[in-house]
Amino acid sequence: MTVTEAPRIVTSRVGYEDSYTIDRYLATGGYEGLRKALSMTPEAVAAEVDAASLLGRGGAGFPAGRKWSMLRKDPVTYLVVNGDESEPATFKDHLLVERDPHQLVEGVVIAAYALQVTRAFVFLRGEFALGLERVQRALNEAYAHGAVGADIFGSGFSVDLVVHPGAGAYICGEETALLESLEGKRGFPRIKPPYFPAAIGLYGQPTVVNNVETMSNLPWIVVNGGAAFAALGAGRSAGTRLFALSGHVNRPGTYEVEMVKTTFRDLVMAPVYGAGVRDGREVKAFIPGGVSAPWFGPDQLDLPLGQDEVGQAGSMLGSGAITVMDSSTCMVRAAWRITRFFARESCGQCTPCREGSGWLERVMRRIEHGQGREEDLDLLLDVSDNITPGLQWPPQQTTICVLGPSIPSSIHSAIEMFRDEFLLHVKEGGCPHA
Amino acid sequence: MSHLRPDILERARELIALYPRPRSALIPLCHLAQEQDGWLRPEAMEEIAALLGITPAEVRGTASFYDMLHTEPVGTYLVSICTNIACLLGGGAELLEHAEAHLGIRVGGTTADGMITLEEAECLADCDRAPCVTVNHRYVGAQTPGSFDGLVADLRAGRRGDEIPPHGTLVRVRRSTGLQADPASVADERAAMAEAQAARAAAKEEGS
């Protein structure tokens, strides 16, 4: 098993009991990145982030530096941090907001300086009650410390941060839905184009939206230089990344690993990470990047944890959520539950997603409960094809946002990989695992 | 006569002042109202609407989109059990069935004593402690049927009060300071924004 010597960039403090306090933060190099950034020009800070080749850690994996460079020049621009972590089986930002909120605050102020933004909003999902407390407390301490607010550390640069709670809606993780929600509306994704809020975002003004983990990497990048970050990992996937490992492993948890140089097998099997499959069973299948991602079988375990590597193999690293299903798992039930999630969370704007998710859920339910027919498999694929034509990867889109084309991933994978299991449900009139 | 308590109103005004447009404070204010009442009473929605300069229908229409905002009463403790993929693999569906039987209610229901409302949750981002359970949005760690019964007994006896505060996810969240970057910034920002948008509209007009 490979466990590389890469430094811990965003999880260096999580071992401390008091990791979320300003005392611990300052004792472990906290706010040095911000001091250094303020001694540089904003352009130079942005150049370091560009040199780091930091891909956004939210799910889409767009280069953070490029996103910044697209920000339209306007007297009023905003920075919004996406902490609405809701992709099922993703729990990395949960760790960052509860265990190292100052790192997040520092990252946001650095980004605000690079972008010359004077107001930033940190949107955290409302269910993060403790996370909201910790980030607000850190922000209060940072104001008192002079690291946020007017004339930060005497530099003349000023920015205010506002912690904003969500209220429970998966769709608000989609950046334009998040902006709608932040405007006090239903979380309906906005019609594209414009594809990026950098042109028209919050209140119609140019806005950069970045993920919590993306922001949390910035203090280290500024202190150590973009080149040091880019030297980790390989190809387009630079640095380390947080992976949330869940399901049938002995040690589920959030692990920071060096990209590309670590494989799925390393993450699942290495004693310091997943420590193998529970009860000595075998991996039956795993989801490599959140429930929107197509599944992989055990033959893909040796794939490296790299964005392009996983993309070329027909899936995605997505939100960094890896879920392992062992040999005891009913794949029909697993895919049905994921489909039910999408049916519940579809915002309802677009017909293929709103209607399709419900139809798929009902057909999956009847198969799982023994009322399915053999033709249902074709029906599932046909409905799926109407949501995302061709059932290819990356998916085609018939909807405003990517929730729609994400719905069929699990069903399509389950049918392709475990057709016999579906047929057994039909033949036996119920779930053989029940 | 205000329905919202003076302390809640004061915090509501502090929150509104943080946003370039008041309506942005809608969700935070709904959380405050739930802190007071446990759910969004119609009187509270009317008052929020007045504070934000919008209609009560806009408040209800927005609130009803979100799982955490309740337009019907809920019990003292909202118990959420996740059954999404990681928790399904960890026994979440079986735990939910057990909870229904133990509490004598179905998902969405409230016990006769008004203490507990049971909810089937979508992923709550605590998947390494599956099946994930929260009470009033406080994580209580992975539960077994046995530990769940103990948790319920504790809640009913008021033994978890310190760890699990009442409704309102912002109950322990308070900003120590208003905006500091520039005291006039919100007004300036609103003016600059209006100007920029007028200029864009004019440019568009010219282009068409």
Side-chain angles (χ1 to χ4, degrees):
Chain A
M1 299 305 128
T2 307
V3 176
T4 73
E5 297 294 314
R8 285 174 151 214
I9 293 177
V10 290
T11 58
S12 64
R13 289 178 200 89
V14 297
Y16 295 106
E17 202 50 41
D18 60 351
S19 61
Y20 54 89
T21 63
I22 193 162
D23 290 346
R24 174 61 61 193
Y25 196 64
L26 292 174
T28 49
Y31 291 110
E32 279 169 21
L34 175 58
R35 286 184 189 278
K36 184 174 173 192
L38 293 170
S39 73
M40 300 158 65
T41 64
E43 294 75 19
V45 175
E48 284 302 326
V49 175
D50 210 31
S53 304
L54 173 64
L55 301 180
R57 300 298 197 230
F62 195 81
R66 253 191 35 228
K67 214 177 209 184
W68 288 10
S69 68
M70 293 182 336
L71 188 70
R72 186 165 57 77
K73 297 275 172 266
D74 197 284
V76 184
T77 52
Y78 296 106
L79 171 63
V80 174
V81 179
N82 187 343
D84 192 51
E85 182 171 70
S86 315
E87 177 76 13
T90 312
F91 49 102
K92 63 182 184 74
D93 295 340
H94 179 186
L95 178 86
L96 294 175
V97 299
E98 282 188 8
R99 301 300 305 166
D100 209 339
H102 276 286
Q103 179 174 254
L104 172 63
V105 169
E106 183 179 1
V108 177
V109 179
I110 290 171
Y113 176 70
L115 295 163
Q116 290 292 294
V117 162
T118 58
R119 186 84 58 88
F121 296 94
V122 180
F123 186 112
L124 298 179
R125 70 179 290 188
E127 292 90 341
F128 283 162
L130 182 61
L132 283 157
E133 287 171 29
R134 292 261 169 95
V135 176
Q136 185 63 64
R137 179 182 151 168
L139 185 57
N140 292 346
E141 289 172 338
Y143 267 105
H145 186 64
V148 186
D151 190 20
I152 295 168
F153 294 149
S155 67
F157 175 68
S158 304
V159 62
D160 277 305
L161 265 58
V162 173
V163 177
H164 182 92
Y170 169 64
I171 193 60
C172 291
E174 199 272 359
E175 64 184 4
T176 64
L178 184 144
L179 295 177
E180 286 288 300
S181 187
L182 185 48
E183 291 185 8
K185 301 171 194 161
R186 297 185 146 225
F188 284 156
R190 293 176 179 170
I191 291 174
K192 288 91 183 164
Y195 291 98
F196 292 97
I200 298 179
L202 186 63
Y203 313 118
Q205 296 301 122
T207 304
V208 164
V209 183
N210 281 147
N211 170 262
V212 163
E213 186 186 344
T214 310
M215 291 285 105
S216 299
N217 273 292
L218 299 182
W220 192 94
I221 289 174
V222 170
V223 168
N224 296 280
F229 190 87
L232 300 166
R236 278 211 318 139
S237 299
T240 62
R241 188 174 171 181
L242 289 181
F243 289 95
L245 181 64
S246 66
H248 294 142
V249 290
N250 286 312
R251 295 182 73 237
T254 303
Y255 301 108
E256 181 173 353
V257 305
E258 186 172 2
M259 293 185 80
V260 187
K261 294 181 182 150
T262 313
T263 66
F264 286 102
R265 188 183 302 280
D266 298 331
L267 193 63
V268 172
M269 297 297 178
V272 292
Y273 303 139
V277 181
R278 237 161 38 181
D279 303 326
R281 292 203 177 98
E282 298 293 315
V283 173
K284 187 170 176 182
F286 64 99
I287 312 176
V291 299
S292 300
W295 302 356
F296 280 154
D299 55 321
Q300 304 274 38
L301 278 168
D302 291 313
L303 263 181
L305 292 166
Q307 187 159 303
D308 293 339
E309 291 79 355
V310 174
Q312 281 151 18
S315 189
M316 63 172 178
L317 274 187
S319 59
I322 297 166
T323 305
V324 174
M325 299 183 271
D326 74 12
S327 45
S328 70
T329 312
C330 170
M331 294 321 206
V332 176
R333 193 177 185 218
W336 167 46
R337 183 60 185 86
I338 292 170
T339 310
R340 194 149 71 86
F341 163 75
F342 284 118
R344 270 178 77 162
E345 297 294 336
S346 171
C347 83
Q349 284 190 108
C350 311
T351 311
C353 172
R354 181 189 64 238
E355 302 301 321
S357 60
W359 294 348
L360 291 172
E361 193 273 323
R362 289 194 291 278
V363 176
M364 288 296 292
R365 181 172 38 182
R366 80 180 178 217
I367 296 174
E368 169 64 9
H369 290 112
Q371 286 117 33
R373 299 157 235 171
E374 212 177 314
E375 320 71 284
D376 281 348
L377 274 76
D378 290 335
L379 179 61
L380 287 168
L381 294 175
D382 186 48
V383 173
S384 297
D385 185 78
N386 277 302
I387 302 174
T388 171
L391 292 177
Q392 54 199 349
W393 193 264
Q396 298 283 306
Q397 204 165 317
T398 56
T399 49
I400 291 171
C401 84
V402 293
L403 191 151
S406 300
I407 302 167
S409 290
S410 57
I411 294 176
H412 191 207
S413 296
I415 292 179
E416 293 251 292
M417 298 165 73
F418 305 102
R419 177 173 277 265
D420 290 352
E421 234 178 281
F422 280 78
L423 295 175
L424 202 60
H425 277 74
V426 172
K427 199 171 130 217
E428 296 199 352
C431 179
H433 296 82
Chain B
M1 182 63 196
S2 169
H3 170 73
L4 296 174
R5 292 193 315 249
D7 59 309
I8 297 272
L9 267 179
E10 188 193 326
R11 284 165 63 201
R13 294 203 175 95
E14 282 173 17
L15 287 170
I16 293 168
L18 300 176
Y19 296 94
R21 289 187 187 161
R23 185 168 175 164
S24 280
L26 191 151
I27 286 173
L29 263 54
C30 288
H31 285 305
L32 292 185
Q34 293 196 157
E35 187 176 320
Q36 175 179 314
D37 298 324
W39 61 291
L40 286 175
R41 302 187 76 97
E43 309 89 287
M45 286 192 273
E46 281 171 30
E47 202 163 335
I48 290 169
L51 285 165
L52 301 178
I54 58 179
T55 67
E58 286 173 306
V59 176
R60 180 183 287 273
T62 304
S64 61
F65 184 81
Y66 295 96
D67 287 347
M68 289 177 72
L69 303 178
H70 305 285
T71 53
E72 301 285 336
V74 293
T76 307
Y77 292 109
L78 176 68
V79 174
S80 311
I81 299 179
C82 175
T83 60
N84 208 312
I85 187 66
C87 289
L88 183 82
L89 300 176
E94 290 76 15
L95 180 67
L96 185 69
E97 262 179 50
H98 169 82
E100 286 187 323
H102 180 72
L103 295 168
I105 53 175
R106 302 299 302 270
V107 165
T110 301
T111 53
D113 59 3
M115 286 296 281
I116 291 167
T117 296
L118 181 65
E119 174 183 78
E120 180 183 21
E122 293 301 347
C123 185
L124 298 165
D126 203 33
C127 321
D128 50 347
R129 298 190 293 168
C132 167
V133 178
T134 64
V135 180
N136 289 353
H137 302 295
R138 263 66 188 181
Y139 296 104
V140 294
Q143 298 289 317
T144 61
S147 71
F148 181 82
D149 296 353
L151 171 69
V152 169
D154 280 353
L155 292 174
R156 286 207 157 114
R159 282 192 291 266
R160 304 288 284 260
D162 287 347
E163 184 192 335
I164 302 168
H167 293 293
T169 194
L170 303 182
V171 66
R172 290 174 179 167
V173 178
R174 185 90 184 250
R175 228 184 128 88
S176 59
T177 160
L179 299 178
Q180 289 189 354
D182 175 2
S185 67
V186 171
D188 287 353
E189 199 172 336
R190 285 177 185 166
M193 212 191 297
E195 205 172 292
Q197 286 171 2
R200 263 212 306 281
K204 206 170 168 188
E205 191 84 347
E206 214 164 277
S208 66

